[in-house]
């Protein structure tokens, strides 16, 4: 049985201009310990798919289809059941590590909160024990001098260090699935390389599955076994990363790959995406 | 290096910021942050110089100091032989029509209350206030077509355009005064790769057609390598390396450039995984 099994996912929004279909007919499976990349341009529906899995869509969204986590249907769960799943099974990290941390709370307080309210064994942890556990986790994500720095505020950390804090926080309850939504987009390349190395290392250590959402094809090539390409809410193709990059079968994937300038090649002119594969639609 | 007389020469440019501690007393001296520490370079006519470096290395500060958008603490900037730093406001305004700028966030750099046509025409009103209405409209329409926008969109507002289209409006606005140099500050960082390719191609075409010089600031080495003749790598406000684009990328001399290049992921699973394995082995040894 797949760890996460999404069938015929459709997300629509009621807007003043009528119903907008953000995601249609998305099918995906991810097994234990596997890494799946979802790539696509802005507006392709990659984050929508992830947000639906976490039950984080806005109020005017409508979801149909099936999202099964270890055989359990997520669509239709109550708040309490969803919270349990989010605290103990599936974790998510976001693009901007500054806006996803509470600026008014010390790192120690916001991290310990997770353990005090949702300890992995179901009991409430004492604050002192929780903080000791948080320090261990900050050490696991290689934050130097974690014991003292845990008492600092988010603004006292750099962007890369903040993302490490977010990762540490998401790992506290030992999730089996980590959804990383553009985790390195806001970071410099050298920091990006270190965060990606860290994620791969932690994945082995904690036996997690990772869904990596990104538009950066380079980091996908480096660390994901399987890749799914999305465009305008639909899956264009999915398969092993080596196959998709080596022999892309869909014209959109081919276009996307050739539009990226490469450091290891000299290209005369960048290839722009030929969108002729699209079914003609009325221009807005 | 081209043998032509440089159009822009920057000598020993220094920019400092005073940082006052939050709880400082009035007699406490502020800390000095040296954002740009004595940078010198030349730019030839029709040349593209790429400026790369990580966030906080001073690349945008340098660009802004060159056209005196922010004050500098020393250095000279010769524009066709005249020192911009010693010029009065009036002369500077005359020079600014020859040096235009394009910014990173395509939507934030456009006034939401003006139409595309008004935005593109604005520099003309500042620098050539006597141009007739019909002439302004004619030039705006021509430029919109030139940057790949339909002239029919002239009365639309910025929010009605996509990110790539907004950046085209920004480019048209920069072109309307017939500049000789355009400073592009992360012009494609906010765009999707497919749109990025279109805008990069557009800039390269325009440069060839109009003989423009470009200062192209970006953090993405692959894009900079593609568009630039020469590349300058900045590290904490200092030049780590400057040279022909091909040499800097394929034969980097400074350790910082090497580190930057090694961190750029390559969209090829087999090559990229080999590189990562090599990097880890190297780190394990160290």
């Amino acid at each position: 049985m797949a760890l996460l099994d999404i069938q015929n996912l459709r997300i629509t929004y009621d807007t003043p201009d009528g119903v907008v279909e953000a995601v249609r007919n998305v099918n995906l499976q991810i097994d234990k310990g596997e890494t799946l990349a979802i790539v696509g341009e802005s507006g392709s529906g990659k984050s929508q798919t992830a947000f639906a899995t976490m039950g984080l869509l806005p109020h005017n969204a409508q979801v149909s289809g099936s999202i099964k986590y270890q055989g359990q249907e997520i669509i239709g769960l109550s708040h309490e059941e969803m919270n349990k799943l989010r605290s103990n099974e599936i974790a998510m990290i976001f693009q901007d590590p500054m806006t996803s941390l509470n600026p008014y709370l010390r790192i120690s307080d916001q991290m310990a909160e997770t353990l005090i309210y949702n300890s992995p064994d179901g009991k409430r942890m004492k604050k002192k024990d929780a903080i000791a556990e948080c320090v261990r986790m900050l050490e696991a994500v290689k934050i130097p001098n974690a014991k003292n720095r845990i008492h600092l505020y988010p603004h006292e950390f750099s962007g890369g260090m903040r993302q490490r804090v977010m990762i540490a926080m998401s790992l506290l309850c030992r999730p089996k699935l980590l959804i990383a939504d553009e985790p390195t987009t806001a970071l410099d390349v050298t920091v990006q390389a270190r965060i990606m190395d860290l994620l791969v290392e932690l994945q082995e250590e904690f036996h997690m599955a990772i869904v990596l959402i990104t538009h950066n094809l380079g980091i996908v090539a480096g660390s994901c076994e399987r890749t799914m390409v999305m465009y305008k809410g639909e899956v264009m193709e999915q398969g092993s990363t080596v196959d998709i990059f080596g022999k892309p079968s869909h014209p959109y994937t081919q276009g996307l790959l050739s539009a990226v300038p490469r450091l290891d090649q000299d290209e005369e002119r960048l290839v722009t995406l030929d969108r002729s594969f699209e079914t003609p639609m009325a221009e807005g | 290096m081209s043998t032509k007389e440089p159009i822009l020469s920057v000598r020993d440019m220094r920019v400092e910021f005073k940082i006052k501690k939050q709880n400082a007393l009035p007699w406490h001296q502020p800390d000095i942050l040296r954002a740009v520490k004595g940078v010198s370079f030349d730019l030839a006519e029709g040349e593209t110089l790429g400026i790369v470096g990580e966030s906080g290395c001073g690349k945008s500060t340098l660009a802004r100091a060159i056209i005196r958008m922010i004050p500098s603490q020393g250095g000279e900037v010769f524009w066709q032989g005249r020192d911009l730093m010693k010029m009065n406001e009036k002369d500077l305004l005359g020079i600014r029509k020859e040096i235009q700028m394009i910014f990173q966030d395509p939507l934030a750099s456009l006034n939401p209350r003006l139409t595309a046509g008004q935005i593109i025409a604005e520099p003309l009103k500042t620098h050539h206030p006597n141009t007739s209405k019909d002439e302004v409209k004619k030039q705006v329409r021509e430029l919109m077509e030139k940057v790949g926008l339909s002239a029919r969109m002239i009365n639309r507002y910025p929010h009605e355009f996509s990110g790539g289209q907004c950046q085209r409006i920004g480019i048209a606005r920069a072109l309307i005064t017939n500049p000789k140099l355009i400073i592009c500050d992360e012009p494609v960082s906010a765009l999707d790769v497919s749109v990025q390719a279109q805008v990069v191609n557009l800039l390269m075409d325009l440069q060839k057609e109009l003989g423009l010089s470009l200062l192209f600031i970006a953090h993405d080495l692959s894009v900079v390598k593609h568009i630039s003749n020469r590349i300058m790598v900045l590290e904490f406000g200092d030049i780590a390396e400057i040279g022909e684009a091909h040499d800097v990328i394929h034969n980097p001399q400074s350790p910082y450039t090497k580190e930057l290049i090694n961190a750029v992921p390559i969209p090829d699973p087999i090559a990229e995984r080999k590189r990562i394995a090599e990097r880890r082995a190297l780190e394990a040894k160290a």
Side-chain angles (χ1 to χ4, degrees):
Chain A
M1 184 174 55
L3 184 67
L4 184 73
D5 187 355
I6 298 182
Q7 296 288 343
N8 294 322
L9 181 68
R10 180 168 183 264
I11 304 172
T12 54
Y13 285 92
D14 274 330
T15 70
D17 300 330
V19 175
V20 174
E21 212 174 20
V23 167
R24 62 182 159 273
N25 252 329
V26 167
N27 294 300
L28 78 87
Q29 283 82 39
I30 180 160
D31 288 327
K32 274 186 188 147
E34 194 185 26
T35 310
L36 170 76
I38 306 182
V39 297
E41 297 176 274
S42 31
S44 62
K46 51 192 197 302
S47 293
Q48 288 290 315
T49 307
F51 276 61
T53 309
M54 291 296 279
L56 291 176
L57 293 173
H59 293 299
N60 62 338
Q62 273 157 12
V63 184
S64 67
S66 153
I67 304 174
K68 281 196 173 123
Y69 175 79
Q70 291 192 314
Q72 183 194 12
E73 181 60 55
I74 289 183
I75 295 178
L77 285 187
S78 69
H79 267 286
E80 291 73 28
E81 290 165 321
M82 203 63 223
N83 274 342
K84 212 165 179 184
L85 202 67
R86 287 197 284 236
S87 56
N88 296 328
E89 304 286 340
I90 313 177
M92 188 161 180
I93 52 176
F94 302 91
Q95 171 170 350
D96 186 342
M98 190 62 212
T99 50
S100 42
L101 291 168
N102 186 337
Y104 288 110
L105 292 181
R106 291 175 193 277
I107 298 298
S108 53
D109 290 334
Q110 47 192 315
M111 276 186 89
E113 205 176 53
T114 325
L115 284 174
I116 292 169
Y117 294 103
N118 320 291
S119 160
D121 55 7
K123 277 183 264 167
R124 281 188 164 220
M125 218 183 234
K126 285 208 186 87
K127 182 149 190 194
K128 206 176 135 206
D129 298 338
I131 288 187
E133 173 65 18
C134 294
V135 169
R136 270 198 291 281
M137 203 51 91
L138 289 178
E139 280 163 357
V141 299
K142 295 176 186 160
I143 293 187
N145 194 10
K147 211 172 169 180
N148 295 323
R149 291 174 93 177
I150 192 167
H151 299 294
L152 298 180
Y153 287 94
H155 74 267
E156 296 177 88
F157 287 82
S158 67
M161 282 296 154
R162 268 181 228 142
Q163 196 58 289
R164 281 171 201 263
V165 171
M166 271 308 291
I167 295 171
M169 206 192 264
S170 70
L171 297 180
L172 279 175
C173 292
R174 316 285 154 142
K176 296 188 187 71
L177 175 64
L178 177 69
I179 301 176
D181 188 4
E182 305 265 9
T184 60
T185 307
L187 307 176
D188 278 321
V189 276
T190 50
V191 184
Q192 164 173 285
R194 271 175 238 137
I195 294 284
M196 285 314 297
D197 283 353
L198 176 72
L199 277 178
V200 171
E201 228 172 86
L202 291 169
Q203 176 179 32
E204 283 160 19
E205 199 179 324
F206 292 93
H207 309 290
M208 287 184 297
I210 295 183
V211 176
L212 177 73
I213 298 169
T214 182
H215 63 269
N216 187 325
L217 294 166
I219 63 173
V220 171
S223 41
C224 301
E225 292 140 37
R226 282 199 303 130
T227 299
M228 177 165 118
V229 183
M230 287 187 76
Y231 180 63
K232 288 199 173 167
E234 280 183 283
V235 178
M236 297 288 111
E237 65 179 312
Q238 55 179 318
S240 94
T241 303
V242 176
D243 288 347
I244 297 235
F245 281 68
K247 303 185 285 285
S249 59
H250 197 280
Y252 176 71
T253 318
Q254 291 162 4
L256 201 61
L257 279 167
S258 49
V260 188
R262 288 177 59 161
L263 211 53
D264 59 337
Q265 286 172 4
D266 289 324
E267 53 282 288
E268 272 298 296
R269 193 176 166 80
L270 295 180
V271 182
T272 54
L273 204 57
D274 173 16
R275 290 178 201 267
S276 58
F277 63 86
E278 281 181 59
T279 39
M281 280 195 297
E283 275 288 311
Chain B
M1 182 67 213
S2 134
T3 48
K4 270 188 271 182
E5 187 78 350
I7 191 166
L8 177 78
S9 296
V10 174
R11 290 289 170 268
D12 197 26
M13 176 59 94
R14 274 171 287 134
V15 184
E16 290 167 0
F17 296 110
K18 285 185 182 143
I19 300 172
K20 201 131 196 180
K21 290 226 178 67
Q22 256 176 359
N23 53 358
L25 295 166
W27 46 85
H28 283 169
Q29 286 299 316
D31 286 341
I32 304 281
L33 176 83
R34 296 171 66 207
V36 179
K37 307 173 187 166
V39 168
S40 305
F41 67 89
D42 287 333
L43 181 73
E45 207 177 323
E47 187 189 32
T48 302
L49 176 68
I51 305 180
V52 293
E54 297 191 283
S55 38
C57 73
K59 46 193 196 302
S60 295
T61 305
L62 171 65
R64 279 156 204 241
I66 288 172
I67 50 168
R68 281 177 60 182
M69 271 171 81
I70 54 169
S72 52
Q73 275 63 47
E76 295 162 314
V77 175
F78 293 101
W79 172 251
Q80 297 178 313
R82 298 168 68 194
D83 190 350
L84 291 187
M85 295 296 133
K86 298 201 177 88
M87 232 171 238
N88 62 29
E89 284 292 320
K90 200 172 145 244
D91 291 343
L92 192 63
L93 189 68
I95 299 290
R96 277 191 177 146
K97 69 178 172 227
E98 298 178 349
I99 309 179
Q100 288 288 313
M101 206 160 171
I102 307 171
F103 301 93
Q104 171 168 2
D105 189 329
L107 197 58
S109 56
L110 305 178
N111 186 337
R113 289 163 167 249
L114 299 183
T115 63
Q118 289 169 325
I119 291 170
I120 298 171
E122 251 198 327
L124 215 52
K125 289 193 179 139
T126 310
H127 294 293
H128 304 281
N130 299 327
T131 322
S132 75
K133 262 188 180 168
D134 287 346
E135 177 61 24
V136 171
K137 206 163 186 180
K138 184 173 148 263
Q139 285 195 30
V140 169
R141 285 171 166 275
E142 277 174 15
L143 268 174
M144 285 183 78
E145 297 286 349
K146 187 170 244 158
V147 299
L149 291 169
S150 161
R152 281 180 305 152
M153 297 171 167
I154 193 164
N155 289 322
R156 289 201 196 172
Y157 287 90
H159 73 268
E160 297 174 84
F161 292 92
S162 67
Q165 286 174 326
C166 284
Q167 203 54 293
R168 288 174 198 268
I169 296 175
I171 294 172
R173 172 175 63 184
L175 287 175
I176 200 156
T177 56
N178 287 318
K180 297 197 175 81
L181 165 67
I182 298 186
I183 299 178
C184 314
D185 191 0
E186 302 265 13
V188 295
S189 312
L191 307 176
D192 276 320
V193 278
S194 60
V195 183
Q196 168 181 303
Q198 294 167 4
V199 173
V200 166
N201 286 343
L202 171 68
L203 281 172
M204 291 177 84
D205 290 344
L206 288 169
Q207 175 180 36
K208 215 177 263 171
E209 190 188 329
L210 307 170
L212 295 168
S213 303
L214 297 180
L215 273 185
F216 192 92
I217 301 169
H219 65 273
D220 185 336
L221 267 175
S222 324
V223 174
V224 169
K225 179 217 74 180
H226 180 76
I227 200 171
S228 308
N229 304 106
R230 286 189 306 141
I231 294 179
M232 173 160 92
V233 183
L234 281 184
E235 178 188 15
F236 294 122
D238 264 326
I239 298 182
E241 183 160 1
I242 183 167
E244 296 291 321
H246 190 270
D247 297 344
V248 171
I249 298 298
H250 295 284
N251 187 19
Q253 297 302 315
S254 96
Y256 181 69
T257 314
K258 280 181 199 161
E259 194 193 338
L260 269 187
I261 290 172
N262 280 334
V264 178
I266 294 172
D268 175 342
I270 296 159
E272 177 63 11
R273 282 168 202 186
K274 201 174 139 224
R275 263 168 38 108
I276 290 180
E278 283 168 6
R279 193 176 69 215
R280 292 219 181 115
L282 219 80
E283 274 166 16
K285 236 196 271 172

